[in-house]
Amino acid sequence: MPKLLGVSGLRPAQGAVRKAKRYGRGGKRGGTSGRGHKGQKARSGNHKPGPGFEGGQTPITLRFPKRGFTNFTRREYAVVNLDRLQHWIDIGKLKCSPDKPITALELEQSNCVHGAKGGIKLLSDGAIPLRSAVFIQPSKASKTAIRAIEQKGGGIICRYYNALAMRDCLNGRTDRKAAAPTRREDIEWYSDFKHRGYLDVKSVERWSAAAKRWQTARDAGLLVTSMPPSPTLKLSSSTVNTVDAS
């Protein structure tokens, strides 16, 4: 019985398929191995120039001048405003005292800020005024934010954190001592009283005085730590009679 034709019986024509030539293996075709003498196609690789190659002339990336540089010491601070800080205190996500001030750890854990690896910068922008006595230790703070915090009986000290110290702060580690600033501008900034730097003696004394006033107010029950109660709607007797008549 003759064999039926089918897909399984298809084969390429004899001589149509040849094995690829393998270059550089020695034997009868050693030396140039079938690539000829020198030239771009005789080299190893894909025989194509790299990106930006313009045939030998000066590429455009070198013809144009460069200006400026990238400052590798630049730090990106996580900004937090006083209105957001007050709102987080009102809803109970943040609590502070002179013994346990607000740091980057509390702000990160309460989702008040995100990406605080470079430090915290406190600003006074916002519509909600500050009502609570806040004790906070950011990396930087504006003058208006410092003034607003101290007017409400709080305290603020700006502390320097390098990369390792900020990592320990965000991880809650207290077994290692934080490094002191080494750059001249950082030493001058954190030694200035107007910035409330932690290297300034007067700033530390003002923090201690605010802590004593806070403890006295807490013992007397005069602390403002939450949102004031919303005013209730009071109906007069004439209004009630009018509603009943209708």
Side-chain angles (χ1 to χ4, degrees):
M1 184 175 181
K3 187 177 180 180
L4 298 178
L5 295 178
V7 179
S8 60
L10 296 179
R11 296 288 186 273
Q14 186 176 3
V17 177
R18 299 178 62 184
K19 292 183 179 180
K21 184 184 294 185
R22 302 179 68 194
Y23 295 104
R25 300 305 192 278
K28 296 182 180 180
R29 301 188 183 276
T32 59
S33 301
R35 292 177 179 265
H37 292 279
K38 302 181 181 179
Q40 185 176 8
K41 293 185 179 181
R43 311 303 180 186
S44 62
N46 60 357
H47 308 158
K48 296 180 181 179
F53 182 71
E54 298 183 9
Q57 69 179 12
T58 305
I60 191 172
T61 55
L62 297 180
R63 291 198 301 268
F64 274 74
K66 277 74 175 177
R67 296 290 184 269
F69 68 101
T70 301
N71 186 6
F72 65 92
T73 62
R74 181 182 178 182
R75 305 186 68 179
E76 295 290 341
Y77 293 97
V79 178
V80 57
N81 292 306
L82 290 180
D83 61 341
R84 187 176 181 87
L85 195 66
Q86 182 63 56
H87 178 65
W88 249 242
I89 294 175
D90 292 341
I91 62 180
K93 288 188 175 182
L94 282 177
K95 294 181 181 180
C96 63
S97 65
D99 299 332
K100 294 183 179 180
I102 298 175
T103 61
L105 174 62
E106 287 76 20
L107 294 174
E108 184 86 12
Q109 288 180 347
S110 63
N111 292 329
C112 186
V113 297
H114 302 282
K117 294 182 179 180
I120 301 295
K121 188 171 185 179
L122 186 64
L123 302 179
S124 63
D125 298 338
I128 303 176
L130 187 67
R131 298 183 301 273
S132 305
V134 178
F135 288 86
I136 186 171
Q137 293 183 357
S139 298
K140 295 289 183 72
S142 64
K143 296 180 181 179
T144 53
I146 294 174
R147 190 184 311 114
I149 289 178
E150 293 181 346
Q151 285 179 355
K152 296 302 179 180
I156 179 172
I157 284 184
C158 294
R159 288 191 171 275
Y160 171 80
Y161 295 94
N162 61 357
L164 180 60
M166 179 55 62
R167 191 187 313 158
D168 290 344
C169 179
L170 295 176
N171 293 333
R173 291 191 58 175
T174 58
D175 57 332
R176 290 193 290 197
K177 185 178 180 181
T182 56
R183 299 174 61 187
R184 179 177 180 179
E185 50 266 31
D186 291 336
I187 296 175
E188 293 177 352
W189 199 95
Y190 287 99
S191 300
D192 198 344
F193 171 72
K194 67 180 181 180
H195 298 146
R196 301 302 186 270
Y198 75 110
L199 298 179
D200 182 67
V201 178
K202 191 176 179 181
S203 301
V204 179
E205 292 177 352
R206 178 162 292 196
W207 174 281
S208 302
K212 292 180 180 179
R213 291 193 300 267
W214 183 88
Q215 293 174 357
T216 304
R218 181 191 60 181
D219 298 339
L222 301 177
L223 285 180
V224 179
T225 58
S226 61
M227 185 179 298
S230 58
T232 57
L233 181 62
K234 296 182 179 179
L235 298 177
S236 60
S237 58
S238 59
T239 307
V240 174
N241 296 333
T242 305
V243 173
D244 294 341
S246 60

